Amino acid sequence: MSRVTFFEVEVLDHKTKAQLCFLDKVEPHATIAEIKCLLHKCYPKWYPARQALKLDPKGKTLKDDEILENLPVGTTATMYFKDLGPQLGWTMVFLAEYMGPLFIYLLFYFRLPYIYNPKYTFTSSPYPVVPLACLCHSLHYIKRLIETIFVHRFSHSTMPLRSMMKNCLYYWGFAAWLAYYINHPLYTPPTYGNQQIHYALILFLLCEAGNFSINLALNNIKSDGDRSGRIPYPTRNPFTWLFFFVSCPNYTYQVGTWIGFTIMTQCVPVALFTLVGFVQMTIWARGRHNMYLRQFKDYPSLRMAIIPLFL
Amino acid sequence: MASGEEDGALDEKENNNKKRTKSALATAWLTFYNITMTAGWLVLAVAMAKFYIQRGTHRGLYRSISKTLKFFQTFALLEVRMVRTSVIVTGVQVSSRIFMVWFVTNSIKQIQNEESVVLFLVVWTVTEITRYSFYTFSLINHLPFFIKWARYNMFIVMYPLGVAGELMTIYAALPYVQKSGMFSLRLPNKYNVSFDYYIFLIIVMLSYIPLFPQLYFHMLRQRRRVLHGEVIVEKDD
């Protein structure tokens, strides 16, 4: 008969090094997630999603699925705790981030009072491109909301409150700024008229369809693959053939959508929003691309991160 | 085989030498830069004092030193990449200076004789001479205590005074900006964007409210760390 050696876990504050909690009789095969639950019992206000446990105060945070006995500690483990602050579920976050622009744009489209000169309140624009732009903008965010609810599966379950406030400010602020100009009584329609609007609309719709196809494809991989993920490959859907050339075609299509919208409305704030979005998405795409390269030895060498053959 | 090891050792020596020359060059450039900037701001200080003593008034003082001021303040752009302080902190400080010099006092001629301009010019001069001489002496490892004391104590008074001077100057400029509509773009235009410099200046003034305390407390924390550290060492002795 073998005796099971229980572990003892001492949890210290990562800044003050004061002892917060001493857990004895911890099972050797307990996961970090279970230890977080035990800590939560001592401190009810620190629910597990808000806890970060580390072996070294300046080191990396331990993952929830790591097992106690596999860690480089003796039978008495010392861990450092950091409060990550209030957390929100990803779904809530995305809903807030996307509903904002959807409604804010409409406030400007219908020219609610106090926004423009009073004589223009509740009037509408004589140019057909203005309601078209409203339709496209709304369609874009409705699609994103649908994807958030039905399609996306998130790897982390929460996000810090501060990040969410920052993101909401960014999305809502930009939406207000570009909606203000597109729906302004003194708006000037595109220089090349209907031709410019039509081609831009086609680009917009194609890229929206493309982005949707990629999100579906990525979701299918996550649902039947294991947690560490597989290399995404093109499927029979022609939109997914962009996977031959880039690691993150969802971001490529997203940039394409906004370029289409910029050309359609010929509005500098939209161009700036597209630019900032492009920079941010490139950073994310490069990160994901490098992760794939590290993880998979046989990763296709033709693929770039976000722009085929270029970036 | 033995020669292979020697080659390896020689390579390492070469690399070390390269590193040493690189850091020696960097130090030489930094020293030269800081001496130049100290000298530049000293020249400004002397020019301002001379003007005031000779003429007895501050009218026309800005005009007389504006070229030198613009040169040395713009030259400071190089610092954003050089100094050990975070890029954001240095970036904010340098850009606010550049903004004041080029987009407020240089462009809006009517406010050049305001007293608030003299106020922030004096503050800037004192602060920069202290700061650059501090860096210069630190680089040659011969830092006189009074310079260290000045660097970490004078800002307590100088910072708020400088901010007051800058804010009062921008405030004085507002009516002229509104009347002339300078740097502004109105609707309708084919880019479907507008920019109102008047509103922009108001936003700049408001942004001092969150930014100034952050920079001020950053300096206070540095002061506590530097001077506090010194106290502990003395106790050990």
PDB file of all heavy atoms in Angstrom, chain A residues 129-141:
ATOM      1  N   VAL A 129     -25.650  57.249 -51.404  1.00  0.00           N
ATOM      2  CA  VAL A 129     -24.536  56.553 -50.761  1.00  0.00           C
ATOM      3  C   VAL A 129     -24.660  56.603 -49.235  1.00  0.00           C
ATOM      4  O   VAL A 129     -24.139  55.730 -48.540  1.00  0.00           O
ATOM      5  CB  VAL A 129     -23.171  57.132 -51.217  1.00  0.00           C
ATOM      6  CG1 VAL A 129     -22.964  58.536 -50.678  1.00  0.00           C
ATOM      7  CG2 VAL A 129     -22.040  56.254 -50.791  1.00  0.00           C
ATOM      8  N   VAL A 130     -25.373  57.603 -48.710  1.00  0.00           N
ATOM      9  CA  VAL A 130     -25.448  57.752 -47.249  1.00  0.00           C
ATOM     10  C   VAL A 130     -26.276  56.622 -46.607  1.00  0.00           C
ATOM     11  O   VAL A 130     -25.797  55.973 -45.682  1.00  0.00           O
ATOM     12  CB  VAL A 130     -25.982  59.151 -46.876  1.00  0.00           C
ATOM     13  CG1 VAL A 130     -26.208  59.259 -45.386  1.00  0.00           C
ATOM     14  CG2 VAL A 130     -24.997  60.220 -47.329  1.00  0.00           C
ATOM     15  N   PRO A 131     -27.522  56.349 -47.082  1.00  0.00           N
ATOM     16  CA  PRO A 131     -28.211  55.190 -46.508  1.00  0.00           C
ATOM     17  C   PRO A 131     -27.506  53.877 -46.819  1.00  0.00           C
ATOM     18  O   PRO A 131     -27.538  52.948 -46.009  1.00  0.00           O
ATOM     19  CB  PRO A 131     -29.612  55.223 -47.149  1.00  0.00           C
ATOM     20  CG  PRO A 131     -29.555  56.237 -48.204  1.00  0.00           C
ATOM     21  CD  PRO A 131     -28.400  57.125 -47.985  1.00  0.00           C
ATOM     22  N   LEU A 132     -26.824  53.796 -47.960  1.00  0.00           N
ATOM     23  CA  LEU A 132     -26.065  52.592 -48.297  1.00  0.00           C
ATOM     24  C   LEU A 132     -24.964  52.357 -47.271  1.00  0.00           C
ATOM     25  O   LEU A 132     -24.763  51.246 -46.780  1.00  0.00           O
ATOM     26  CB  LEU A 132     -25.453  52.732 -49.700  1.00  0.00           C
ATOM     27  CG  LEU A 132     -24.638  51.540 -50.193  1.00  0.00           C
ATOM     28  CD1 LEU A 132     -25.519  50.312 -50.326  1.00  0.00           C
ATOM     29  CD2 LEU A 132     -23.958  51.860 -51.517  1.00  0.00           C
ATOM     30  N   ALA A 133     -24.244  53.446 -46.929  1.00  0.00           N
ATOM     31  CA  ALA A 133     -23.172  53.334 -45.939  1.00  0.00           C
ATOM     32  C   ALA A 133     -23.741  52.905 -44.597  1.00  0.00           C
ATOM     33  O   ALA A 133     -23.145  52.080 -43.895  1.00  0.00           O
ATOM     34  CB  ALA A 133     -22.452  54.675 -45.807  1.00  0.00           C
ATOM     35  N   CYS A 134     -24.890  53.447 -44.236  1.00  0.00           N
ATOM     36  CA  CYS A 134     -25.523  53.078 -42.962  1.00  0.00           C
ATOM     37  C   CYS A 134     -25.844  51.584 -42.957  1.00  0.00           C
ATOM     38  O   CYS A 134     -25.593  50.885 -41.981  1.00  0.00           O
ATOM     39  CB  CYS A 134     -26.799  53.898 -42.757  1.00  0.00           C
ATOM     40  SG  CYS A 134     -27.641  53.523 -41.226  1.00  0.00           S
ATOM     41  N   LEU A 135     -26.378  51.114 -44.078  1.00  0.00           N
ATOM     42  CA  LEU A 135     -26.717  49.693 -44.202  1.00  0.00           C
ATOM     43  C   LEU A 135     -25.469  48.831 -44.048  1.00  0.00           C
ATOM     44  O   LEU A 135     -25.464  47.847 -43.300  1.00  0.00           O
ATOM     45  CB  LEU A 135     -27.352  49.468 -45.581  1.00  0.00           C
ATOM     46  CG  LEU A 135     -28.112  48.170 -45.780  1.00  0.00           C
ATOM     47  CD1 LEU A 135     -29.327  48.152 -44.869  1.00  0.00           C
ATOM     48  CD2 LEU A 135     -28.547  48.035 -47.227  1.00  0.00           C
ATOM     49  N   CYS A 136     -24.407  49.211 -44.744  1.00  0.00           N
ATOM     50  CA  CYS A 136     -23.174  48.423 -44.697  1.00  0.00           C
ATOM     51  C   CYS A 136     -22.588  48.405 -43.297  1.00  0.00           C
ATOM     52  O   CYS A 136     -22.198  47.350 -42.787  1.00  0.00           O
ATOM     53  CB  CYS A 136     -22.135  48.993 -45.661  1.00  0.00           C
ATOM     54  SG  CYS A 136     -22.519  48.707 -47.388  1.00  0.00           S
ATOM     55  N   HIS A 137     -22.511  49.567 -42.666  1.00  0.00           N
ATOM     56  CA  HIS A 137     -21.940  49.671 -41.328  1.00  0.00           C
ATOM     57  C   HIS A 137     -22.730  48.806 -40.350  1.00  0.00           C
ATOM     58  O   HIS A 137     -22.168  48.045 -39.555  1.00  0.00           O
ATOM     59  CB  HIS A 137     -21.968  51.140 -40.890  1.00  0.00           C
ATOM     60  CG  HIS A 137     -21.214  51.429 -39.642  1.00  0.00           C
ATOM     61  ND1 HIS A 137     -21.824  51.469 -38.409  1.00  0.00           N
ATOM     62  CD2 HIS A 137     -19.911  51.694 -39.414  1.00  0.00           C
ATOM     63  CE1 HIS A 137     -20.910  51.758 -37.478  1.00  0.00           C
ATOM     64  NE2 HIS A 137     -19.749  51.890 -38.065  1.00  0.00           N
ATOM     65  N   SER A 138     -24.072  48.909 -40.440  1.00  0.00           N
ATOM     66  CA  SER A 138     -24.913  48.137 -39.530  1.00  0.00           C
ATOM     67  C   SER A 138     -24.769  46.651 -39.787  1.00  0.00           C
ATOM     68  O   SER A 138     -24.676  45.854 -38.861  1.00  0.00           O
ATOM     69  CB  SER A 138     -26.372  48.564 -39.690  1.00  0.00           C
ATOM     70  OG  SER A 138     -26.477  49.961 -39.612  1.00  0.00           O
ATOM     71  N   LEU A 139     -24.740  46.279 -41.073  1.00  0.00           N
ATOM     72  CA  LEU A 139     -24.570  44.879 -41.446  1.00  0.00           C
ATOM     73  C   LEU A 139     -23.286  44.317 -40.865  1.00  0.00           C
ATOM     74  O   LEU A 139     -23.245  43.197 -40.335  1.00  0.00           O
ATOM     75  CB  LEU A 139     -24.501  44.795 -42.981  1.00  0.00           C
ATOM     76  CG  LEU A 139     -25.026  43.522 -43.603  1.00  0.00           C
ATOM     77  CD1 LEU A 139     -26.535  43.591 -43.623  1.00  0.00           C
ATOM     78  CD2 LEU A 139     -24.498  43.351 -45.014  1.00  0.00           C
ATOM     79  N   HIS A 140     -22.224  45.115 -40.934  1.00  0.00           N
ATOM     80  CA  HIS A 140     -20.922  44.682 -40.439  1.00  0.00           C
ATOM     81  C   HIS A 140     -20.988  44.333 -38.961  1.00  0.00           C
ATOM     82  O   HIS A 140     -20.519  43.284 -38.525  1.00  0.00           O
ATOM     83  CB  HIS A 140     -19.897  45.782 -40.681  1.00  0.00           C
ATOM     84  CG  HIS A 140     -18.548  45.483 -40.128  1.00  0.00           C
ATOM     85  ND1 HIS A 140     -17.663  44.638 -40.755  1.00  0.00           N
ATOM     86  CD2 HIS A 140     -17.936  45.884 -38.998  1.00  0.00           C
ATOM     87  CE1 HIS A 140     -16.560  44.547 -40.034  1.00  0.00           C
ATOM     88  NE2 HIS A 140     -16.691  45.293 -38.957  1.00  0.00           N
ATOM     89  N   TYR A 141     -21.617  45.215 -38.166  1.00  0.00           N
ATOM     90  CA  TYR A 141     -21.650  44.971 -36.724  1.00  0.00           C
ATOM     91  C   TYR A 141     -22.678  43.919 -36.332  1.00  0.00           C
ATOM     92  O   TYR A 141     -22.479  43.167 -35.380  1.00  0.00           O
ATOM     93  CB  TYR A 141     -21.839  46.284 -35.961  1.00  0.00           C
ATOM     94  CG  TYR A 141     -20.559  47.066 -35.885  1.00  0.00           C
ATOM     95  CD1 TYR A 141     -20.327  48.164 -36.709  1.00  0.00           C
ATOM     96  CD2 TYR A 141     -19.533  46.672 -35.031  1.00  0.00           C
ATOM     97  CE1 TYR A 141     -19.134  48.850 -36.668  1.00  0.00           C
ATOM     98  CE2 TYR A 141     -18.330  47.349 -34.991  1.00  0.00           C
ATOM     99  CZ  TYR A 141     -18.135  48.440 -35.807  1.00  0.00           C
ATOM    100  OH  TYR A 141     -16.935  49.113 -35.775  1.00  0.00           O
TER     101      TYR A 141
END
